[in-house]
Amino acid sequence: MTDRPIVTRIAPSPTGDMHIGTARTALFNWLYARGRGGTFLLRIEDTDRTRSTPEATDAILDGLKWLGLDWDGEAVSQFARADRHAEVAHAMMANGTAYKCFASQGDIAAFRDAARAAGTSTLYRSPWRDADPSDHLEAPFVIRLRAPRDGVTSIQDAVQGMVTVRNDQLDDMVLLRSDGTPTYMLAVVVDDRDMGVTHVIRGDDHLNNAARQAQIYDAMGWDLPVWAHIPLIHGADGKKLSKRHGATGVGEYAAMGYPARAMRNYLARLGWSHGDDEYFTDEQARAWFDLDGIGRAPARLDMKKLENLSGQHIGAMLNDDVVAAVLDWARRSGSPLPDAVALRRAVPSVKDAARTLPEVVERSRFVLQNRPIRPDDKAAKALTDDGRAMLRELTPHLQNATWTRDALEGAVGSVAADHGVGLGKIAAPMRAALAGRTTTPSVFDMMLILGREETVARLDDAA
Ligand code: GLU
């Protein structure tokens, strides 16, 4: 099976937001396939009609697209394959690995009550398993797996190692309900098999399902896929990630302004490692990603780390890509769209310090606003009498200076020296005048980008 081309998949259930755990599982599958010339498929597990919604499907498609996790071919709808699932259940009946069970809910409840009273196992043991077909009823029935009762079912998991379940702990699971619809367990196996999936990388909340699914593969004489069950993501307190830890939806992270490539880097590090590497590119991730690097302990969400990686990625992005990412973020978060041309002028001077895309906008305010600049309260504090006096003295120097960094440093430096202050003391009122903010690029960057006329006008306004 290992010489077959690699096929992985993400199989989300479309209920609610796309969870970042799902995004991480998708990323691992995508990296594994893309790094090996394989195929990465998408299956929407929409079999549960009461819980599945079209909005949730859209959120999955959008989340994957935002993250840049492109899938091959069309997304598969599990619900649309119900006939095929039923066909396999009937094939299993034909080969003797499944049977019709006519037990009613009442029969099953009575079995359990009796078992409890007798102190025996409440796992349902259907009398229909060994019934003669001539005794079958004209009544609704489910199709159950004729599961092995003796021995064990073992799966070799690429992360968890050998996982063994005693067969007497498993019941004859239902494959097809009395209304003819498949159970989740059957649908997953049939779909993975039909889609040619070679590697199933998913959350370890599905580990127990794997043994049951292995029984279905065995019943059909199908090769098992390679399973890799990855520990779930935990919050900073070590408990399973939930809303009370903060954002859990992929869309929320997009709206907070982390670029997708930073999110990929961060999610890859959540549960997988390559030596001590924290920051890496997509190319490196694809080349390095391997199942061996997946840890067995749950990874903890660490927003500081995400922010730090995000800053590094923004700094490393091409200027035009930063602009595009900012515009995409603004659209997603419903923030005002900044002027792309103005933003592009500021980006080279702000991208190294910004940790998020909204911070890029914040630091670019000096090019995004027109005169008169209205300083915010914090910045306005620097416009003291002394501060304004320095600005007044500075403007004549600037009228004559050549507009180069050296000359501007000389001009600003000499006014500061005349006042017996350091550069920081004169930079503060300049920031207030040029940007109306305290968090800005260097005053020299701002002057060079704004040009002489605009710079002098803003300083005059504030002086
Ligand atoms: N639909 C399942 C889920 O959302 C995934 C099933 C699988 O990966 O096998 O958790």
Side-chain angles (χ1 to χ4, degrees), residues 120-306:
T120 54
S121 165
T122 56
L123 272 188
Y124 183 58
R125 296 297 185 205
S126 171
W128 297 98
R129 176 177 163 117
D130 301 313
D132 193 290
S134 63
D135 293 332
H136 281 180
L137 308 178
E138 283 301 319
F141 60 88
V142 300
I143 296 182
R144 288 185 185 273
L145 176 75
R146 181 173 280 117
R149 291 255 165 107
D150 303 322
V152 296
T153 299
S154 294
I155 64 157
Q156 181 58 47
D157 189 272
V159 175
Q160 314 286 340
M162 184 72 90
V163 178
T164 298
V165 182
R166 275 170 43 197
N167 288 334
D168 63 9
Q169 304 292 310
L170 301 175
D171 63 2
D172 287 351
M173 72 183 127
V174 175
L175 303 169
L176 212 62
R177 300 188 190 89
S178 56
D179 63 1
T181 61
T183 56
Y184 164 73
M185 218 61 88
L186 174 68
V188 168
V189 171
V190 174
D191 291 348
D192 280 343
R193 155 76 189 193
D194 287 359
M195 290 163 74
V197 172
T198 58
H199 291 70
V200 172
I201 306 169
R202 63 185 175 191
D204 66 9
D205 48 339
H206 288 286
L207 185 58
N208 286 334
N209 292 341
R212 290 175 160 279
Q213 291 168 4
Q215 293 184 336
I216 300 176
Y217 280 95
D218 288 347
M220 285 300 288
W222 292 340
D223 283 342
L224 297 178
V226 173
W227 272 301
H229 286 93
I230 57 183
L232 301 185
I233 302 172
H234 284 187
D237 59 1
K239 304 223 171 77
K240 190 177 155 199
L241 186 67
S242 74
K243 282 273 172 219
R244 75 196 153 73
H245 290 108
T248 54
V250 176
E252 293 173 84
Y253 286 85
M256 284 189 272
Y258 300 108
R261 58 179 268 178
M263 205 63 201
R264 286 194 292 275
N265 183 168
Y266 180 67
L267 289 176
R269 282 287 293 110
L270 266 185
W272 172 80
S273 58
H274 179 266
D276 293 330
D277 294 302
E278 291 292 345
Y279 173 89
F280 41 79
T281 63
D282 288 321
E283 292 67 36
Q284 288 172 318
R286 276 196 293 271
W288 293 342
F289 187 82
D290 203 344
L291 303 182
D292 294 343
I294 299 174
R296 283 206 212 181
R300 292 188 187 196
L301 194 70
D302 180 344
M303 294 302 284
K304 275 267 157 297
K305 212 156 150 181
L306 168 58

